[in-house]
Amino acid sequence: WTRSNHETVTRQMDKRMRNAVPKRMGDSFRARDISLKAQKKLLSKMSNKTMAKNFIDDTLASILDNMYSLAKAYTGNKKEAEKLVKNIIKIVVKINILYRNEQFSQEDLRVANQLRHKFTTIVKTIISFFEVDFTFDKAFLTKNINDCRGLLKQLVGNHLTDKSIGRIDHVLDFFTEAAFLEEMFRPESPHRPTLQTIIDDMSKAFDEGGI
């Protein structure tokens, strides 16, 4: 299985993903539905049909739905919010497809383990910053998110196209924007109710072993 094979499959995945994800989701946006449609479209063309299952559980779907609401409220731009969450879904689905097809090397899996630990640190940090007023440390959180960015690119660099790598940057650029972070953790922020729901789902995911 060569890099050219990966690139061919990835280009096909990109094309099918574009066709699988509706162009306009509207306010009835449901992350789980979009993910399932995308997976069915992709996996119907792949040899291992046993992979045809939903990679995004109810808790993660709820987090993504509320991230869409949060991004839409913060930016005032529905299309940008839709693009953000679509890109998250595409990244999650593609990584799961690679993993379930056993395309990751031992070195890739070592990086994946580092990524998992780093992501866990980020989630715990976000929960702590939200629950304890005036503990927010923008520099610390931004550094950890960018560390996660580096590990994620290292994991998929030999498997996905530059376009997919660009999706990673698009998502993480949004979540490391200084003004966004400051607004989210401002005690009187109007976005706190939505963020509270996301935090509750993150905590639930910890309890269920999903993170």
Side-chain angles (χ1 to χ4, degrees), residues 89-185:
I89 291 171
K90 289 174 182 179
I91 293 165
V92 170
V93 169
K94 288 182 179 182
I95 289 175
N96 273 280
I97 287 173
L98 289 169
Y99 177 75
R100 289 168 187 267
N101 268 336
E102 300 182 348
Q103 297 305 310
F104 289 134
S105 66
Q106 286 301 310
E107 175 61 19
D108 290 335
L109 293 175
R110 184 188 67 80
V111 173
N113 192 50
Q114 289 180 302
L115 177 62
R116 182 176 62 83
H117 285 298
K118 179 62 67 174
F119 184 72
T120 298
T121 297
I122 291 171
V123 172
K124 288 180 177 179
T125 299
I126 290 172
I127 292 173
S128 177
F129 286 168
F130 182 81
E131 292 181 342
V132 184
D133 287 345
F134 308 111
T135 58
F136 171 57
D137 186 333
K138 181 175 62 180
F140 178 82
L141 183 56
T142 300
K143 180 185 182 301
N144 276 276
I145 293 175
N146 282 327
D147 287 347
C148 189
R149 183 201 306 258
L151 289 168
L152 187 53
K153 287 184 176 182
Q154 188 177 345
L155 175 64
V156 302
N158 292 325
H159 304 282
L160 300 182
T161 63
D162 289 343
K163 186 172 183 179
S164 291
I165 300 298
R167 291 192 181 102
I168 293 172
D169 282 328
H170 172 254
V171 169
L172 297 184
D173 284 348
F174 180 87
F175 288 114
T176 53
E177 179 189 313
F180 171 77
L181 291 176
E182 290 167 357
E183 177 62 19
M184 291 305 105
F185 292 100

Side-chain angles (χ1 to χ4, degrees), residues 126-127 130-131 195-204:
I126 290 172
I127 292 173
F130 182 81
E131 292 181 342
L195 192 55
Q196 177 70 69
T197 304
I198 293 172
I199 294 298
D200 290 344
D201 281 333
M202 285 181 171
S203 298
K204 180 181 178 182

Side-chain angles (χ1 to χ4, degrees), residues 69-77 174 177 179-181 183-184 191:
S69 298
L70 189 67
K72 180 185 173 186
Y74 173 73
T75 64
N77 188 326
F174 180 87
E177 179 189 313
F180 171 77
L181 291 176
E183 177 62 19
M184 291 305 105
H191 304 292

Side-chain angles (χ1 to χ4, degrees), residues 33-51:
D33 294 341
I34 301 305
S35 173
L36 184 57
K37 289 177 182 178
Q39 291 168 51
K40 286 180 177 178
K41 189 74 174 182
L42 285 170
L43 299 174
S44 67
K45 302 297 183 180
M46 300 187 72
S47 58
N48 188 359
K49 298 299 176 61
T50 62
M51 293 194 313

